[in-house]
């Protein structure tokens, strides 16, 4: 398989058009089309379908796109590692963050990376924990902060902090100020995030241990909408204080929180790297900065 063919295919897929990719790559469109056709012939699969607006990926093309990006990133990283061994902390580093963590540390992280690694190119992306895991394993990311990362021989996991989960309702929704027992959550209407959201997965798992399940009224991803529906009295939700605080200084307005006990529900915030990786001074320095800054800014349980 020709690396150049993979690079051409990725560019066509990302730009959605042979003509746009041709202009970007400074290669004649017939030559570009020929390279992609040769790749399809080698794989014995149709990768792209032409339409009036450009091209779209087939199922085989979608699978190849993810793999091709990882392959090209590994090749790029190999060149960077060789260069890095000569010059020190230069090259690229890809870091992933959940949106709720990004709110707390992203700006400080970029400033610190620029201060200590001025020659590095930094890519900072947001995603759910399951997405970040996929991007680490595919080689798109070098490290990421995740919630409750799965135990895997492919991942190296470092614990940072723990976050308690709370039952959240509109003002006046609770009879008293006592903590809420987990088993009682099955009795209330819930406005909850969709799986595979880490909070949702943990909540489902712990209730299943008790032989219970959620009474779901609304199941949705946008956190702003979720908290708005709770304020409007459609039901309760479960989140950490940090998740709520990530929606702004007035996020608690109109809401009340009660800690979940019996047992407590705790999300682990973890720093994750691929277990198999080349030694790289840039990535080692970026890891140290991300770890130390996260411990500093996220350390302890938020109040």
């Amino acid at each position: 398989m020709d690396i150049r063919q993979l690079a051409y295919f990725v560019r066509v897929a990302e730009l959605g058009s042979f003509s746009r990719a041709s202009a970007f790559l400074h290669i004649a469109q017939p030559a570009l089309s020929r390279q992609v056709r040769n790749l399809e012939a080698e794989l014995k699969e149709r990768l792209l379908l032409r339409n009036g607006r450009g091209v779209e990926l087939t199922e085989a093309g979608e699978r190849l796109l993810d793999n091709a990006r990882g392959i090209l990133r590994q090749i790029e990283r190999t060149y960077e590692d060789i260069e890095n061994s000569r010059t020190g902390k230069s090259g690229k580093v890809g870091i992933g963050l959940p949106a709720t963590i990004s709110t707390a540390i992203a700006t400080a992280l970029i400033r610190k990376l620029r201060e200590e690694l001025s020659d590095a190119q930094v890519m900072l992306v947001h995603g759910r924990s399951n997405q970040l895991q996929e991007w680490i394993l595919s080689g798109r990311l070098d490290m990421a902060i995740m919630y409750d990362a799965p135990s895997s021989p492919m991942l190296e996991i470092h614990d940072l902090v723990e976050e308690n989960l709370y039952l959240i309702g509109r003002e006046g929704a609770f009879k008293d100020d006592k903590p809420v027992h987990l088993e009682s959550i099955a009795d209330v209407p819930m406005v909850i995030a969709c799986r595979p959201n880490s909070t949702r997965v943990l909540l489902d798992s712990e209730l299943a241990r008790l032989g219970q399940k959620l009474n779901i009224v609304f199941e949705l991803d946008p956190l702003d909408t979720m908290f708005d529906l709770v304020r409007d009295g459609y039901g309760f939700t479960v989140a950490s204080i940090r998740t709520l605080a990530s929606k702004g200084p007035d996020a608690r307005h109109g809401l009340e929180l009660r800690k979940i006990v019996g047992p407590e529900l705790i999300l682990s915030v973890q720093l994750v790297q691929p277990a198999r990786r080349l030694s790289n001074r840039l990535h080692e320095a970026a890891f140290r900065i991300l770890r130390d800054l996260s411990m500093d800014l996220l350390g302890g349980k938020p109040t």
Side-chain angles (χ1 to χ4, degrees):
M1 188 179 297
D2 192 314
I3 298 301
R4 182 175 57 177
Q5 290 175 345
L6 284 179
Y8 288 169
F9 163 74
V10 168
R11 190 58 63 189
V12 173
E14 290 178 342
L15 295 179
S17 163
F18 276 97
S19 59
R20 287 192 288 270
S22 172
F24 183 90
L25 294 166
H26 303 291
I27 180 176
Q29 187 169 331
L32 178 60
S33 298
R34 185 169 58 253
Q35 292 288 350
V36 174
R37 284 199 305 270
N38 290 341
L39 181 60
E40 290 178 320
E42 180 178 351
L43 296 174
K44 298 181 176 63
E45 289 281 358
R46 190 73 176 272
L47 302 173
L48 298 166
L49 297 175
R50 294 179 183 267
N51 56 43
R53 299 179 304 277
V55 298
E56 61 183 47
L57 289 165
T58 65
E59 182 179 345
E62 289 178 352
R63 291 199 301 270
L64 178 61
L65 180 60
D66 286 339
N67 287 317
R69 283 171 170 159
I71 292 168
L72 294 172
R73 177 62 182 132
Q74 290 291 344
I75 292 171
E76 183 181 27
R77 183 176 294 158
T78 300
Y79 284 109
E80 290 171 1
D81 286 335
I82 294 172
E83 178 70 9
N84 187 267
S85 67
R86 243 184 355 97
T87 62
K89 298 170 183 177
S90 62
K92 295 181 181 178
V93 59
I95 299 173
L97 301 173
T100 51
I101 298 294
S102 180
T103 301
I105 73 170
T107 301
L109 174 61
I110 291 173
R111 287 172 177 163
K112 190 68 172 177
L113 289 169
R114 177 55 58 193
E115 175 186 329
E116 295 196 25
L117 305 173
S118 58
D119 293 331
Q121 298 179 43
V122 178
M123 178 180 71
L124 191 64
V125 300
H126 292 169
R128 284 181 167 183
S129 289
N130 66 305
Q131 292 174 315
L132 298 174
Q133 177 188 339
E134 292 175 4
W135 293 339
I136 285 177
L137 294 177
S138 70
R140 181 182 177 188
L141 294 178
D142 301 299
M143 62 198 72
I145 292 180
M146 295 168 52
Y147 287 107
D148 282 347
S151 177
S152 167
M154 303 294 289
L155 300 174
E156 182 180 297
I157 301 171
H158 304 262
D159 292 327
L160 294 175
V161 297
E162 293 182 339
E163 296 188 352
N164 282 92
L165 295 182
Y166 292 74
L167 184 65
I168 303 174
R170 69 182 300 182
E171 284 186 346
F174 297 98
K175 296 179 181 179
D176 53 49
D177 58 0
K178 296 179 181 178
V180 174
H181 282 264
L182 174 62
E183 60 185 9
S184 67
I185 292 178
D187 298 326
V188 301
M190 294 295 296
V191 181
I192 198 72
C194 304
R195 294 177 70 94
N197 173 274
S198 299
T199 295
R200 170 67 184 279
V201 170
L202 177 61
L203 189 57
D204 283 344
S205 175
E206 291 302 316
L207 281 174
R209 294 178 191 274
L210 302 176
Q212 297 178 327
K213 62 181 182 179
L214 291 170
N215 172 23
I216 299 174
V217 178
F218 290 108
E219 188 176 18
L220 66 166
D221 281 331
L223 290 176
D224 290 314
T225 304
M226 186 173 74
F227 292 130
D228 284 342
L229 290 174
V230 173
R231 287 188 188 90
D232 291 342
Y234 285 96
F236 295 77
T237 195
V238 171
S240 68
I241 291 179
R242 191 181 315 284
T243 296
L244 182 57
S246 71
K247 308 320 294 179
D250 298 324
R252 287 207 201 189
H253 177 71
L255 298 174
E256 291 184 7
L257 292 74
R258 297 293 184 271
K259 186 177 180 180
I260 299 171
V261 297
E264 294 184 6
L265 293 188
I266 297 175
L267 281 179
S268 296
V269 182
Q270 297 163 318
L271 179 51
V272 181
Q273 291 179 295
R276 297 179 180 178
R277 60 186 186 276
L278 295 173
S279 178
N280 182 302
R281 281 186 283 175
L282 168 62
H283 295 165
E284 290 171 359
F287 177 87
R288 173 184 53 78
I289 292 170
L290 178 58
R291 180 199 60 206
D292 293 350
L293 189 64
S294 298
M295 293 294 290
D296 184 36
L297 297 181
L298 305 177
K301 295 175 182 177
T303 59

